[in-house]
Amino acid sequence: MELLIRNGFVFDPINNVDGEKMDIAVKDGKIVEKVNERNAKQIDVSGMVVMPGGVDIHCHIAGSEVNTGRLLRPEDHFKDFEPKTARTRSGVGHSIPSTFTTGYRYARMGYTTIMNPSMPPLEAKHTHEELNDTPMVDKGSYPLLGDWWFVLEYLSDGAIEECARYVAWMMTATKGYAIKIVNPGGLEAWSSGRNMTSLDDQVPHFGITPREILRGLCRTNRLLNLPHTIHVHTNNLGRPGNYLTALDTMKCVEDLAREDRPTIHITHCQFCAFKGSDWKNLESGAEEIANYVNAHNHVTLDMGQVIFTDTTTMTADGPFQYTLYELTGNKWVNHDVETETSSGIVPFRYRRKSYVHAIQWSIGLELALLTKDPWKIFMTTDHPNGGPFTSYPRIIAWFMSQKARKATIKKINKRARSRSLLPSIDRELSLYEIAITTRAGQAKALGLKNKGHLGIGADADLAIYNINPDTTDPSKKYKTLRRAMRNAAYTIKGGNIVNKNGEIRRHEKGTTMWLDVKVSEPVQITNDMKKRFRDYWTVEYENYPVTKHYIEASKPLTTKADV
Ligand SMILES: [Zn+2]
């Protein structure tokens, strides 16, 4: 199938294309130099914006945690449902939509690649079953490895190469894409009712500190040449004063930076940019964090923007979720995953009139607007923790329009308004910068070579939005912008039109990307290793790895390690 997309304003930052009017040619699912005009299907997109398909580096969309959230919250389904159509299945859910609906909703917004950031290795099979059922997008998942006993043991012994070989084994066994670390050491401590409060606390029983886990896995990541950096949810997340922990976390791997490449990704940074000693005097630490990131090149961030709505919080950070339960008194789930991790779920409503929630809303945007280089901070809500991913068009409007920000600031808690840095920030992002923070930057940080851009050979994943930059100023007409971003005029996945003006036109399966990490001496599955499985887990080795046939549209990416 050949396709020629004509006359659009193209925004392709990886190839330095900034709103040029040009044609894009597609053949066999890839961007090509040209096609035969007589054979190709032509779409005239005059007056519209053409971008690479959206990329989401961090959204909880699959796995036992997400599914437990669905079970916990029937009220989330009742109020938001989609009927079946000739091409799509029915589905439900405002903050935790069912799998198929998740895929459709991303496709409507022009997204084509999404990453599920929190996969307990023991529950990897469930995660992949749900990813199989999430259509329209390519996807991947990050196994939680920061509190896995094997990692703690090897790092505590200083056996970094051994640790790397086991992480390589785990990455391939779980069909994962990146090393996820949540509250390093804190989740293991939580299994005996404790937590970590600084990078130098001792993890019970293991003789190791969060600092050593972070540095060890950062070095492991480098030894294995993984495409993404370590993906870190910091210690003390969600606690006043934690911006200092976030700074410590970034600093602790500063000397491991190689050239100008990032070595650490701090996820949903809003939740770890709190200044102040308690909730009453909570303030924004966004400026301090942005200053640090502006001065260093080894860090990337994503926002974790808060949206004023009803949502469902879910993280592997069991102790944090317990605190949230204590704060809200809501129904909750807390869960310990054997030798690997923990997790928790609490329903949550962010209110404009709450001082704390309004400060949180402000912090996310402050971080994004004060960080000068859009290649360093990416748009997320940590879906569904800060709000559902369907709110992205709102955030884009706040990015591009001071007027949109003012309209919301007017409605928030008065004391929070007086403390917000937003009124003093007049920066408005351009469409080029939007293309970076919503796709190009995210694809680059993930090391996805064929995504996030429209160069020759790239995957033909595109989003076309019905907004004309020549005649419409998004900073003034931010509602028009929001509408255009909510329902893309076209979403093209692998060279096929899958969405037109919000209507799903075609079902695409989407691949699951995972890393096939090649090490020179792979971990041997000996009787001793099998015994460790029997001793440590309730699952025998034979039932543990996700075999290849488990993934319906499998896309292994081979990585050659230095060990
Ligand atoms: Zn998250």
Side-chain angles (χ1 to χ4, degrees):
M1 158 113 166
E2 297 183 16
L3 195 62
L4 188 60
I5 301 153
R6 311 200 67 160
N7 303 319
F9 296 99
V10 176
F11 292 85
D12 177 11
I14 286 179
N15 294 300
N16 302 309
V17 179
D18 183 5
E20 269 171 58
K21 217 176 206 186
M22 55 196 276
D23 298 348
I24 303 279
V26 168
K27 191 179 177 183
D28 300 331
K30 294 281 179 186
I31 308 282
V32 292
E33 189 150 9
K34 57 177 183 219
V35 286
N36 183 335
E37 289 195 22
R38 262 181 297 175
N39 297 340
K41 178 183 167 68
Q42 303 203 15
I43 328 176
D44 183 24
V45 295
S46 301
M48 297 190 196
V49 161
V50 179
M51 289 185 183
V55 179
D56 197 338
I57 199 168
H58 190 110
C59 51
H60 300 260
I61 49 127
S64 74
E65 182 182 64
V66 179
N67 214 33
T68 307
R70 293 186 186 115
L71 290 168
L72 182 71
R73 300 207 66 197
E75 70 277 14
D76 192 69
H77 317 322
F78 295 150
K79 67 177 174 196
D80 192 347
F81 53 90
E82 293 196 24
K84 170 181 185 300
T85 70
R87 293 186 196 86
T88 62
R89 291 171 57 152
S90 61
V92 290
H94 167 68
S95 65
I96 11 173
S98 42
T99 49
F100 281 83
T101 305
T102 297
Y104 304 145
R105 288 182 181 173
Y106 265 109
R108 287 190 190 113
M109 297 192 305
Y111 273 71
T112 50
T113 303
I114 61 179
M115 300 306 249
N116 182 63
S118 190
M119 174 165 73
L122 190 66
E123 291 159 0
K125 283 184 175 172
H126 181 163
T127 308
H128 283 291
E129 281 173 338
E130 289 199 10
L131 290 179
N132 283 339
D133 266 2
T134 307
M136 321 306 283
V137 286
D138 293 329
K139 50 248 157 179
S141 207
Y142 314 151
L144 288 148
L145 299 176
D147 288 76
W148 178 33
W149 284 8
F150 283 50
V151 163
L152 300 183
E153 281 180 17
Y154 286 118
L155 290 182
S156 155
D157 290 347
I160 184 82
E161 296 198 351
E162 202 62 2
C163 175
R165 291 182 332 109
Y166 274 89
V167 168
W169 171 79
M170 188 61 118
M171 198 59 73
T172 304
T174 58
K175 304 290 178 280
Y177 188 83
I179 297 176
K180 176 71 182 297
I181 306 171
V182 170
N183 184 1
L187 308 188
E188 172 51 33
W190 182 235
S191 66
S192 49
R194 283 176 275 181
N195 197 2
M196 297 288 109
T197 56
S198 86
L199 260 58
D200 298 306
D201 284 9
Q202 285 287 327
V203 180
H205 314 301
F206 284 93
I208 193 168
T209 63
R211 182 185 303 278
E212 288 161 342
I213 298 171
L214 286 161
R215 287 181 60 81
L217 284 175
C218 188
R219 289 171 63 203
T220 294
N221 203 82
R222 210 166 83 176
L223 282 172
L224 297 178
N225 293 315
L226 304 187
H228 185 34
T229 59
I230 50 172
H231 193 99
V232 179
H233 159 138
T234 60
N235 298 107
N236 285 330
L237 188 117
R239 287 176 204 283
N242 65 8
Y243 81 105
L244 291 170
T245 313
L247 287 171
D248 279 351
T249 306
M250 296 187 256
K251 282 177 195 160
C252 97
V253 292
E254 207 179 290
D255 62 311
L256 300 178
R258 197 163 41 175
E259 290 137 25
D260 253 7
R261 283 176 57 194
T263 52
I264 188 166
H265 178 83
I266 305 285
T267 190
H268 39 70
C269 193
Q270 174 272 129
F271 290 104
C272 58
F274 297 174
K275 215 156 91 175
S277 54
D278 62 33
W279 294 114
K280 290 196 193 81
N281 63 19
L282 182 77
E283 270 186 78
S284 166
E287 202 168 5
E288 286 80 354
I289 289 183
N291 286 345
Y292 180 85
V293 174
N294 287 336
H296 294 85
N297 290 331
H298 69 290
V299 188
T300 55
L301 312 174
D302 70 84
M303 292 164 77
Q305 176 62 34
V306 153
I307 305 292
F308 298 114
T309 186
D310 176 52
T311 195
T312 312
T313 67
M314 51 180 65
T315 81
D317 198 338
F320 165 63
Q321 289 289 338
Y322 176 69
T323 309
L324 214 53
Y325 150 71
E326 282 192 314
L327 281 169
T328 61
N330 273 343
K331 56 185 173 181
W332 64 305
V333 173
N334 215 272
H335 176 49
D336 179 50
V337 189
E338 304 195 0
T339 68
E340 299 173 351
T341 179
S342 68
S343 79
I345 303 161
V346 183
F348 204 85
R349 179 181 281 277
Y350 294 102
R351 297 173 195 276
R352 284 189 188 87
K353 297 297 177 196
S354 150
Y355 172 70
V356 170
H357 303 171
I359 288 282
Q360 285 188 271
W361 170 80
S362 186
I363 290 175
L365 290 171
E366 290 166 17
L367 277 168
L369 294 165
L370 293 173
T371 301
K372 289 182 187 144
D373 182 354
W375 294 98
K376 290 181 178 175
I377 183 157
F378 312 129
M379 185 187 75
T380 64
T381 57
D382 183 17
H383 163 83
N385 286 294
F389 65 83
T390 43
S391 326
Y392 288 170
R394 281 187 180 279
I395 307 177
I396 294 173
W398 287 324
F399 276 159
M400 296 194 75
S401 164
Q402 236 186 321
K403 197 174 152 193
R405 299 202 286 269
K406 277 184 186 153
T408 307
I409 290 171
K410 260 203 301 205
K411 296 185 209 154
I412 66 171
N413 174 286
K414 254 192 203 158
R415 198 158 69 92
R417 193 187 312 157
S418 71
R419 294 207 173 178
S420 170
L421 303 178
L422 289 178
S424 67
I425 302 173
D426 57 10
R427 182 172 176 203
E428 291 179 330
L429 265 54
S430 64
L431 281 166
Y432 187 76
E433 289 173 310
I434 292 296
I436 298 171
T437 191
T438 58
R439 47 263 285 161
Q442 310 216 17
K444 190 176 168 211
L446 287 164
L448 293 169
K449 298 256 174 340
N450 297 327
K451 300 198 179 288
H453 73 99
L454 300 174
I456 308 298
D459 292 347
D461 295 349
L462 294 97
I464 298 162
Y465 299 108
N466 192 0
I467 183 159
N468 185 335
D470 265 1
T471 56
T472 308
D473 176 355
S475 78
K476 296 202 176 70
K477 300 264 187 189
Y478 67 88
K479 288 184 184 165
T480 309
L481 169 72
R482 234 158 47 187
R483 261 197 307 277
M485 293 289 166
R486 203 168 286 148
N487 286 317
Y490 296 94
T491 307
I492 294 167
K493 177 85 199 72
N496 295 309
I497 299 170
V498 294
N499 157 61
K500 192 173 175 190
N501 297 318
E503 191 197 327
I504 300 299
R505 303 295 282 261
R506 182 188 162 104
H507 183 93
E508 278 287 319
K509 187 134 200 68
T511 61
T512 298
M513 302 175 289
W514 57 275
L515 299 181
D516 186 7
V517 188
K518 302 282 188 206
V519 291
S520 56
E521 275 179 69
V523 167
Q524 295 300 313
I525 308 302
T526 56
N527 284 336
D528 180 53
M529 175 77 170
K530 288 185 180 174
K531 181 175 180 310
R532 297 186 78 179
F533 265 87
R534 278 195 296 274
D535 290 349
Y536 287 177
W537 280 281
T538 51
V539 173
E540 299 253 350
Y541 168 76
E542 283 73 13
N543 293 322
Y544 191 83
V546 179
T547 47
K548 279 183 193 168
H549 74 268
Y550 225 85
I551 300 179
E552 286 175 7
S554 176
K555 179 136 196 201
L557 301 163
T558 304
T559 305
K560 202 174 170 319
D562 290 339
V563 284

